Amino acid sequence: MCIDDKRTFFSQFSKIIELLDPCVDNFLYVKDLQNDYYYISPSATERFNMDKCEFGDVTENHRKFVHPADFDMLNEEMDQILSSGKTFHNLQYRWLDKNKKPVWINCRGRVTLDEEGNPEFMVGCINEIGKVQEADNISGLLREASLQQEIEKCGEERMSGFFMLIGIDNFKEINENCGIEYGDMILRRTAECIQAAIEPNQKLYRIVADEYAIMDFSGRTTNEARALYYRIRAEIDKFIEENGYEVFYTISAGILKMDDLEQQNYDSFVTRAEFALSEAKNRGKNRCYVYSQEDYEAFLVKRKRIQVLRKAVNRDFEGFEAYFQPIVDITNNKLTSAEALMRFSSEETGRLSPAEFIPLLEESGLIIPVGRWMLNKALEACSKVRKIIPDFRVAVNISYIQILKSDIVADIRANMKEYQLEPGSVVVELTESGYLDSEDYLNRFFERLKDDGILVALDDFGTGYSNFQYLYNISPDTIKIDRSFTIKALKNPADYKLLQHMVYLAHSIQLKLCVEGIETKEELDEIAKIEPDYIQGYYFGKPCSFDIFWDAHVASDKEETD
Ligand code: C2E
Ligand code: CA
Ligand code: CA
């Protein structure tokens, strides 16, 4: 090529790149290797840290948008192309975007040679490696990358309408039970069902495996979104029926109001939508949930608290404390046992009540290590008190999570051995509310407790769940009347009568009965008339640290006996 031809080639090629720019997802380029001149798709200037799409002095200009750590590697590659006859370039490295953040790219190019065999031009294409597929071949829908573009395009414009994220409930099971191909069919058919239910000006995307998104920019309300959700469900039910109930599945949806989300970027938008969908699933699946800022903030607080609890566990249970509350024999006002109650505080959260943090420990599984720690503190305390009060017992609250997911009997046994505690010195307090499932497993658990001489107290009796079947299955040694019921019994003659019958029933099957929540002498006198066995309440003592418990309840007992 003569010089003029070369110029023409370069400018014609640049022109083609410019024309193709809106039609392709990647960036095309041409580089004049002999005149050190470069042209790239103009849209690259919007994405990367470059201000012109056409420039000379290529190496120097590269400095602006090539990641500094990859700069030498790129130059080496260019040297090789110029000196060693390499005619194909294929390199993955990093460019810098407009915010100078690294973006992985794959640059491929062909090198053309002149009549003398010298490298003349390099033409090729750059694509972003991280960029997700824009369309999905299984459902035929647009994918998340397109959704992102759409949302970002709306940018500053005031958005009104809704966004709905739909998830197939338990999709993993469909895949596992029916195979991936069948799963793909379900994904495709679900997309068709959604498509059939939406309006022409609503757009459908497939986000991840089993999640779809609907965008509505036409100002429809969340109530209309809800109605749409039910229409989609009806379409899916129709499909399931037509399919001869070969597979049965449900969907959940999270709904966001667009106006709430002005000035949110794409990531926080998607995070909130994911939250709304998982909230719908957490609330029992097969339902839709409309995003509420209040719920989201509560969720963030909860997540933060779980992080704090986890950190505390990893720092040798820093911030956890075992408190003890006396349980008194009503016939002689003597201390018989103590209930161990957990406390937690941290700089970040302040003091949290057990009602706040126990469910978080359960949800996160942290109840297993913390419960074990608590058990150790409780049994250690028991062994100390038994030196003064030989038949003293300690009662420990145990969650069903601990029973189902750890070997709590082995833990109790090991601690009893460590502190040389005899059978009958440990009481496990359990509620009825978690008992429902896994009956066989639990029944074996109760047998093992009995074999080891570990006593059982049925906690929170009278709080609604009470079912005499459980009383029979669990066959506890004691039942504990919850404070909420004690209050009712003190106020209401019918409940008082009921409590009286409970005492009678308990005694008729050789159970002891403990009334919780007695705060005053008057309350004590009133309850004493129906002759329960034990009393636990602020009247005899609030939960307190072991040292205070010792001084207030054990040392005094010691003095009496001395
Ligand atoms: P719970 O097992 O029913 O414990 C009795 C609760 O009643 C304790 O609340 C105690 O402080 C409170 N209480 C006792 N007497 C009175 C009274 O006269 N007046 C009033 N107003 N309250 C009284 P706390 O310590 O806040 O514990 C709440 C719940 O947290 C416990 O209820 C138990 O279900 C759970 N919990 C506490 N520690 C543990 C633990 O180590 N493990 C597990 N799994 N749960 C625990
Ligand atoms: Ca309890
Ligand atoms: Ca209780």
Side-chain angles (χ1 to χ4, degrees):
M1 262 190 246
C2 69
I3 291 190
D4 276 351
D5 286 349
K6 278 185 187 168
R7 286 218 183 99
T8 320
F9 176 82
F10 190 87
S11 68
Q12 298 246 327
F13 209 86
S14 310
K15 194 79 208 152
I16 295 172
I17 291 176
E18 191 187 346
L19 288 170
L20 283 176
D21 195 13
C23 316
V24 293
D25 286 334
N26 5 30
F27 306 99
L28 306 176
Y29 67 88
V30 50
K31 184 175 176 187
D32 181 338
L33 296 166
Q34 291 172 359
N35 296 303
D36 198 20
Y37 209 75
Y38 190 86
Y39 183 91
I40 185 165
S41 304
S43 60
T45 60
E46 287 159 31
R47 175 78 177 116
F48 301 107
N49 190 36
M50 54 174 81
D51 27 77
K52 298 182 296 248
C53 64
E54 186 172 2
F55 46 81
D57 204 359
V58 180
T59 310
E60 240 356 81
N61 271 294
H62 263 129
R63 271 190 200 286
K64 287 193 209 138
F65 59 88
V66 171
H67 194 288
D70 297 339
F71 190 71
D72 289 344
M73 177 177 71
L74 174 66
N75 284 338
E76 238 169 70
E77 166 89 359
M78 289 321 293
D79 285 348
Q80 274 187 11
I81 287 170
L82 291 174
S83 59
S84 72
K86 188 171 173 180
T87 56
F88 194 74
H89 161 70
N90 185 1
L91 195 63
Q92 299 191 342
Y93 64 107
R94 284 160 293 183
W95 278 14
L96 300 173
D97 72 4
K98 279 264 169 261
N99 300 316
K100 302 211 172 130
K101 290 234 178 75
V103 178
W104 277 99
I105 55 120
N106 186 15
C107 176
R108 279 165 298 174
R110 282 212 80 103
V111 178
T112 63
L113 304 176
D114 64 13
E115 289 93 28
E116 277 97 56
N118 295 319
E120 198 171 28
F121 293 102
M122 184 157 91
V123 293
C125 140
I126 282 162
N127 46 334
E128 284 182 41
I129 300 170
K131 196 158 179 179
V132 257
Q133 250 182 298
E134 296 204 2
D136 167 38
N137 294 331
I138 293 175
S139 61
L141 298 179
L142 292 172
R143 296 218 58 156
E144 188 174 359
S146 325
L147 174 67
Q148 180 165 3
Q149 278 175 11
E150 188 82 25
I151 289 175
E152 281 168 356
K153 210 167 70 194
C154 304
E156 285 86 58
E157 282 171 42
R158 198 184 149 76
M159 296 192 275
S160 89
F162 64 79
F163 179 82
M164 190 191 305
L165 193 60
I166 300 172
I168 299 181
D169 298 329
N170 309 326
F171 180 69
K172 236 179 90 199
E173 280 171 25
I174 301 182
N175 255 348
E176 279 165 10
N177 297 339
C178 312
I180 302 227
E181 260 175 47
Y182 198 90
D184 283 353
M185 187 273 284
I186 295 296
L187 291 174
R188 204 164 41 239
R189 295 304 299 267
T190 304
E192 285 164 16
C193 290
I194 303 175
Q195 198 87 59
I198 62 178
E199 311 280 338
N201 52 1
Q202 293 172 332
K203 248 185 177 168
L204 176 59
Y205 303 85
R206 176 148 174 251
I207 304 296
V208 286
D210 53 345
E211 284 179 16
Y212 305 85
I214 300 170
M215 287 269 274
D216 178 292
F217 282 130
S218 60
R220 287 194 179 80
T221 63
T222 48
N223 273 343
E224 288 170 288
R226 259 204 203 97
L228 170 61
Y229 166 75
Y230 287 107
R231 281 207 304 280
I232 297 169
R233 258 176 54 169
E235 288 290 337
I236 289 177
D237 290 346
K238 213 159 72 189
F239 156 62
I240 292 171
E241 201 185 321
E242 283 162 12
N243 197 35
Y245 294 95
E246 218 172 90
V247 64
F248 182 81
Y249 68 99
T250 54
I251 55 162
S252 296
I255 297 169
L256 301 190
K257 224 165 98 192
M258 291 284 193
D259 336 31
D260 290 347
L261 295 160
E262 271 177 275
Q263 282 140 17
Q264 303 281 4
N265 62 24
Y266 178 75
D267 284 345
S268 83
F269 184 86
V270 168
T271 310
R272 279 150 212 255
E274 291 284 358
F275 161 74
L277 175 57
S278 68
E279 203 58 20
K281 292 196 178 188
N282 290 340
R283 290 174 186 218
K285 301 182 178 146
N286 195 25
R287 69 194 60 215
C288 65
Y289 162 87
V290 177
Y291 176 84
S292 121
Q293 183 70 17
E294 208 180 307
D295 290 351
Y296 185 59
E297 273 157 24
F299 160 79
L300 293 179
V301 168
K302 181 172 136 183
R303 199 172 59 180
K304 173 79 203 159
R305 284 180 176 175
I306 291 179
Q307 278 168 1
V308 170
L309 289 165
R310 184 166 290 127
K311 194 174 79 188
V313 168
N314 288 329
R315 290 192 179 167
D316 205 16
F317 304 96
E318 185 183 274
F320 286 101
E321 258 182 296
Y323 268 35
F324 297 89
Q325 185 179 27
I327 300 174
V328 169
D329 183 334
I330 199 164
T331 55
N332 55 15
N333 277 3
K334 283 219 181 281
L335 178 71
T336 65
S337 56
E339 177 173 3
L341 293 158
M342 205 188 290
R343 295 291 178 264
F344 178 77
S345 68
S346 72
E347 245 171 51
E348 294 102 318
T349 60
R351 182 172 277 277
L352 297 179
S353 77
E356 288 171 311
F357 72 80
I358 299 279
L360 302 181
L361 292 177
E362 290 179 334
E363 194 183 313
S364 59
L366 290 169
I367 193 72
I368 293 178
V370 184
R372 212 172 265 146
W373 174 88
M374 189 70 191
L375 195 63
N376 186 276
K377 295 284 167 213
L379 271 60
E380 181 188 29
C382 183
S383 75
K384 286 183 182 161
V385 179
R386 276 173 90 93
K387 298 209 167 74
I388 311 296
I389 307 169
D391 53 0
F392 180 81
R393 297 185 295 275
V394 72
V396 188
N397 292 286
I398 301 289
S399 292
Y400 280 92
I401 310 274
Q402 289 170 274
I403 301 173
L404 297 174
K405 301 207 169 141
S406 71
D407 192 349
I408 193 80
V409 182
D411 290 340
I412 301 174
R413 204 181 279 164
N415 278 290
M416 283 175 70
K417 200 165 162 211
E418 180 181 350
Y419 295 110
Q420 296 169 349
L421 290 170
E422 290 148 38
S425 49
V426 179
V427 185
V428 163
E429 289 200 6
L430 287 161
T431 58
E432 290 172 298
S433 55
Y435 183 68
L436 305 170
D437 299 320
S438 348
E439 261 189 48
D440 276 353
Y441 180 84
L442 287 174
N443 291 340
R444 242 183 344 227
F445 165 78
F446 291 115
E447 276 165 27
R448 286 179 67 201
L449 289 180
K450 295 242 146 58
D451 290 347
D452 282 29
I454 299 162
L455 305 171
V456 176
L458 189 55
D459 210 350
D460 297 352
F461 201 74
T463 52
Y465 269 99
S466 306
N467 176 329
F468 290 97
Q469 175 71 30
Y470 299 154
L471 199 57
Y472 174 78
N473 286 341
I474 298 175
S475 64
D477 303 278
T478 310
I479 49 183
K480 296 185 82 177
I481 302 299
D482 191 69
R483 174 175 149 77
S484 58
F485 192 74
T486 309
I487 294 171
K488 275 206 264 175
L490 287 166
K491 279 192 186 146
N492 177 343
D495 286 319
Y496 186 80
K497 197 104 197 121
L498 184 57
L499 185 57
Q500 199 167 20
H501 283 297
M502 281 184 188
V503 176
Y504 179 77
L505 169 97
H507 289 165
S508 72
I509 49 173
Q510 279 76 50
L511 301 187
K512 302 280 190 197
L513 190 136
C514 174
V515 175
E516 281 187 295
I518 298 296
E519 295 189 347
T520 64
K521 177 83 173 72
E522 292 72 47
E523 289 173 358
L524 177 66
D525 291 344
E526 198 56 29
I527 292 295
K529 286 185 206 154
I530 55 176
E531 299 181 342
D533 304 277
Y534 307 120
I535 298 289
Q536 179 181 350
Y538 290 178
Y539 177 69
F540 286 109
K542 288 189 173 180
C544 55
S545 69
F546 181 71
D547 290 346
I548 296 176
F549 180 83
W550 180 274
D551 290 345
H553 306 288
V554 185
S556 58
D557 202 283
K558 183 170 181 251
E559 279 150 23
E560 268 173 43
T561 43
D562 281 348

